[in-house]
Amino acid sequence: MKKGKKIYEGKAKIIFATEDKNLAIQHFKDDATAYNNQKKDIIEGKGILNNRISEHILSNLKQIGIKNHLVKRINMREQLVKLVEIIPIEFVVRNIASGSLTKRLGIEDGTVLEYPLIEYCLKNDELGDPIVSREHILAFKWMNILELDWINEEVKRINDFLQGMFRGVGIKLVDFKVEFGRSQINEKNEIILADEISPDTCRLWDANTDKKLDKDRFRKDLGNLIEAYQEIARRLDILHEQTNIRPLKFTKPKAVKIKKK
Ligand code: TMP
């Protein structure tokens, strides 16, 4: 698929047009930003890891019936995706209190929530992505009530799946952010999961030590961000370091002689 004009450039990704009006190329950059662009850096290799991790997660979500924009990964940094019009709301799901929730409400960092908490933020950098209520979303027609209720159910399913997937490899899914978009293929209007799911958009803690394995390493100047993202990829079995690959030894089964009676 030929790469066309740049349609949109965000903080961590670029979207390019293709010769198919329904498809786009999503390019993962190495740029890291935090605190509404006040902190910036380029972390070599981050885009490659996020491309792989997000591909893994979105293709697994597709297998359990969560429709999303991923068509296929094309190369180290790019994916072919369905072109969508992004709904201007970020859906944040929290299982453990951390980040802005602790600052806003004084909840102690690490408090396990009795049930997942869904928050909505308006996608607007100038306003600092303010938190908005369900009533704001409906009043300003960013979505209708059916769409909002449907997305709420969808994010709960995504949370259940991701929590299980990460728990299985010794990682706590503290919180994450997802975005949805409207796609229009063959005159059919559909809302599908879009953007990315990666350690840039999730808080992931080691289940035994609570070590941060996500973008908080950058936000909080903890260092070793690439090592943490590699650890996530390694545990999800999508990063195979040559030195770790040992060919499985297959022993030939012994022929069993069947005695004729
Ligand atoms: P927060 O604690 O800063 O509100 O973030 C909650 C989660 O959502 C965290 O995993 C980071 C993610 N997130 C993004 O990926 N992008 C954003 O713009 C925001 C506000 C949060």
Side-chain angles (χ1 to χ4, degrees):
M1 188 69 64
K2 240 179 154 184
K3 200 153 80 181
K5 267 197 206 154
K6 191 198 284 186
I7 303 177
Y8 168 82
E9 179 155 4
K11 284 172 251 171
K13 293 184 295 293
I14 309 174
I15 305 290
F16 294 95
T18 68
E19 61 248 42
D20 183 330
K21 68 175 183 2
N22 295 315
L23 298 178
I25 290 172
Q26 174 166 261
H27 177 104
F28 288 77
K29 302 192 283 183
D30 282 342
D31 300 52
T33 63
Y35 310 117
N36 202 23
N37 246 349
Q38 286 172 34
K39 187 174 159 69
K40 284 187 205 175
D41 204 352
I42 291 177
I43 301 173
E44 210 176 306
K46 181 174 80 74
I48 294 172
L49 283 158
N50 282 347
N51 185 20
R52 290 293 299 270
I53 296 169
S54 194
E55 174 207 13
H56 177 81
I57 294 177
L58 265 61
S59 53
N60 273 277
L61 285 172
K62 189 176 170 189
Q63 286 169 25
I64 60 151
I66 308 277
K67 287 187 181 166
N68 63 67
H69 74 159
L70 180 72
V71 178
K72 62 172 181 179
R73 186 169 61 83
I74 316 171
N75 58 42
M76 300 262 277
R77 288 193 180 269
E78 291 171 329
Q79 308 179 338
L80 188 64
V81 295
K82 290 179 188 163
L83 186 61
V84 295
E85 187 197 329
I86 289 285
I87 293 172
I89 296 294
E90 294 184 338
F91 295 81
V92 173
V93 184
R94 299 181 187 273
N95 300 306
I96 298 173
S98 197
S100 70
L101 177 71
T102 58
K103 291 191 193 99
R104 234 184 302 124
L105 304 178
I107 313 287
E108 196 184 337
D109 190 75
T111 308
V112 177
L113 306 176
E114 275 181 37
Y115 53 87
L117 192 61
I118 303 177
E119 290 176 345
Y120 315 107
C121 296
L122 179 65
K123 266 175 77 72
N124 185 322
D125 284 343
E126 277 171 35
L127 301 176
D129 294 345
I131 190 160
V132 292
S133 71
R134 188 179 161 86
E135 280 66 31
H136 287 115
I137 294 175
L138 300 177
F140 300 113
K141 298 191 170 42
W142 292 314
M143 266 172 279
N144 68 38
I145 195 161
L146 292 176
E147 291 171 338
L148 181 53
D149 287 345
W150 181 81
I151 294 181
N152 271 337
E153 291 310 309
E154 204 76 342
V155 297
K156 283 184 209 160
R157 287 179 68 202
I158 295 170
N159 185 44
D160 285 345
F161 175 80
L162 292 183
Q163 261 196 316
M165 183 188 81
F166 281 121
R167 268 280 158 187
V169 294
I171 293 168
K172 292 179 190 172
L173 175 64
V174 174
D175 57 31
F176 64 96
K177 182 265 308 184
V178 278
E179 295 182 22
F180 288 80
R182 299 176 202 281
S183 98
Q184 218 183 10
I185 298 180
N186 301 331
E187 317 274 294
K188 198 173 142 199
N189 284 311
E190 241 186 349
I191 291 184
I192 56 174
L193 174 68
D195 193 53
E196 68 174 295
I197 300 181
S198 71
D200 263 14
T201 62
C202 301
R203 281 198 177 89
L204 302 165
W205 294 354
D206 178 86
N208 292 321
T209 62
D210 280 354
K211 182 180 169 186
K212 295 180 197 304
L213 300 170
D214 56 66
K215 201 172 139 186
D216 269 355
R217 299 209 71 82
F218 170 71
R219 293 186 190 100
K220 294 174 179 286
D221 289 323
L222 299 172
N224 296 331
L225 178 129
I226 289 297
E227 288 76 4
Y229 285 29
Q230 276 174 336
E231 177 68 15
I232 298 291
R234 194 187 59 74
R235 290 204 202 176
L236 292 176
D237 205 20
I238 51 180
L239 189 79
H240 301 277
E241 276 143 1
Q242 283 305 311
T243 48
N244 286 345
I245 299 172
R246 286 196 188 87
L248 284 173
K249 268 191 182 170
F250 287 103
T251 46
K252 215 174 160 186
K254 280 181 189 159
V256 181
K257 276 188 182 169
I258 299 165
K259 280 181 189 167
K260 279 184 188 166
K261 280 186 185 170

